Amino acid sequence: MMTLACRKLDSHPQSSAQQHSGPWLVWLHGLLGSGQDWLPVAQLCGDYSSLLIDLPGHGESVSLTTRGFDDISHQLTQTLHANGIREYWLAGYSLGGRIAMYHACYGNSVGLQGLLVEGGNLGLESDELRETRFRHDSQWAQRFRDEPLPQVLADWYQQEVFADLDPQQREQLVSLRANNHGPAVAEMLEATSLGHQPWLLPALQRLSVPYTYLCGERDHKFQQLAHQYKLPLRTLARAGHNAHRANPGAFAAQVLSFLSQSSFLSLPR
């Protein structure tokens, strides 16, 4: 039997709350991002210790690969162990939200106190839809491998889910994300395609920990998804798909409200 070496993700502990003895906040970014994307929100949640994780192919984890959702869930577990984190709240945006949901539903979730998902897709309900999506994602991955990154990103941010962005905001994101390594992004995109993700709604409905779904008011696609499947939605004003970037203050307030309510509900009676 083959034995695989432990591969932990690069992470950035925030030490402003070192004396805090409660659960940590663990943050997972979206495709093309890095753990540092969460820094403004994490700082506003300063009563909690935060761990900002770089996913495979991104940030300081650019040289790390993953084979898919089960593998990355194991990588996350190893990263938590390496940082001595025994209890935690898991928050994720877009791709990070999908990974967070998978980990909560199917991974080693010992110590998980609750789940916060921002604009994460629950998956696709049929093999046909999954096959179609994987072909779509593979086409994008080929572009990330072969074409200049700014050129691909200019088209990437024209997708419908980013419709709330104005031209200046798109230009800013293209500039910000152009420091990625295209082939690494391509590999991560294919490994974590919606074509490989299970349909997560039934498992989410069986979760034994509290969870919430955060979504910008202008993110029409995921607002509709949340209403369709009766997810525990918290809406962020003046924000689209990337709500924590557009309105970090409101996002942090919703996070702290959820943590406070969930902690109160879990207290012994």
Side-chain angles (χ1 to χ4, degrees):
M1 182 173 63
M2 182 181 296
T3 301
L4 297 174
C6 166
R7 297 172 298 146
K8 71 181 183 68
L9 305 165
D10 199 90
S11 53
H12 312 276
Q14 301 303 297
S15 59
S16 60
Q18 284 182 339
Q19 303 305 313
H20 178 71
S21 60
W24 284 60
L25 275 167
V26 177
W27 306 91
L28 305 180
H29 61 81
L31 190 74
L32 297 162
S34 75
Q36 295 300 312
D37 292 353
W38 286 110
L39 191 56
V41 174
Q43 289 174 334
L44 292 169
C45 298
D47 288 342
Y48 291 84
S49 297
S50 279
L51 189 72
L52 315 180
I53 287 180
D54 289 342
L55 294 173
H58 295 74
E60 298 300 318
S61 297
V62 66
S63 62
L64 188 65
T65 60
T66 194
R67 295 180 298 278
F69 287 94
D70 191 55
D71 188 31
I72 200 169
S73 178
H74 284 294
Q75 291 171 315
L76 175 57
T77 297
Q78 296 294 344
T79 305
L80 296 172
H81 289 169
N83 284 277
I85 296 175
R86 297 183 178 180
E87 295 185 331
Y88 63 102
W89 301 86
L90 186 58
Y93 159 66
S94 195
L95 169 61
R98 298 196 285 121
I99 293 169
M101 287 187 286
Y102 182 93
H103 180 77
C105 293
Y106 297 114
N108 178 2
S109 58
V110 173
L112 179 66
Q113 304 298 296
L115 179 67
L116 302 96
V117 178
E118 178 193 355
N121 200 312
L122 303 181
L124 302 169
E125 295 186 69
S126 73
D127 289 340
E128 182 180 2
L129 289 173
R130 285 188 285 270
E131 289 170 6
T132 299
R133 179 56 184 252
F134 184 71
R135 287 196 298 270
H136 171 82
D137 288 343
S138 294
Q139 291 171 355
W140 274 111
Q142 197 61 47
R143 292 194 62 189
F144 277 115
R145 288 189 179 97
D146 296 342
E147 299 179 25
L149 203 51
Q151 178 179 314
V152 183
L153 292 172
D155 292 337
W156 180 265
Y157 287 112
Q158 293 292 335
Q159 294 181 94
E160 184 179 356
V161 72
F162 301 112
D164 66 292
L165 299 176
D166 61 35
Q168 183 179 4
Q169 290 170 325
R170 285 193 177 89
E171 185 177 334
Q172 289 172 343
L173 278 172
V174 169
S175 177
L176 178 66
R177 303 312 190 196
N179 64 351
N180 279 281
H181 182 53
V185 172
E187 187 164 343
M188 184 62 168
L189 176 58
E190 288 183 326
T192 58
S193 167
L194 275 173
H196 294 321
Q197 178 183 312
W199 172 238
L200 294 171
L201 181 63
L204 275 177
Q205 292 171 333
R206 296 191 298 268
L207 275 185
S208 59
V209 297
Y211 80 97
T212 192
Y213 195 87
L214 302 116
C215 189
E217 66 178 355
R218 297 198 291 265
D219 188 351
H220 302 301
K221 174 180 177 178
F222 287 94
Q223 283 279 341
Q224 181 180 356
L225 182 149
H227 289 301
Q228 179 180 357
Y229 296 111
K230 298 180 173 58
L231 303 178
L233 176 65
R234 291 171 178 257
T235 296
L236 282 299
R238 302 186 304 281
H241 184 55
N242 195 333
H244 70 273
R245 174 179 168 84
N247 196 343
F251 194 94
Q254 289 284 13
V255 170
L256 293 173
S257 170
F258 171 71
L259 297 185
S260 176
Q261 292 174 12
S262 300
S263 298
F264 173 77
L265 291 173
S266 65
L267 288 174
R269 300 298 183 187

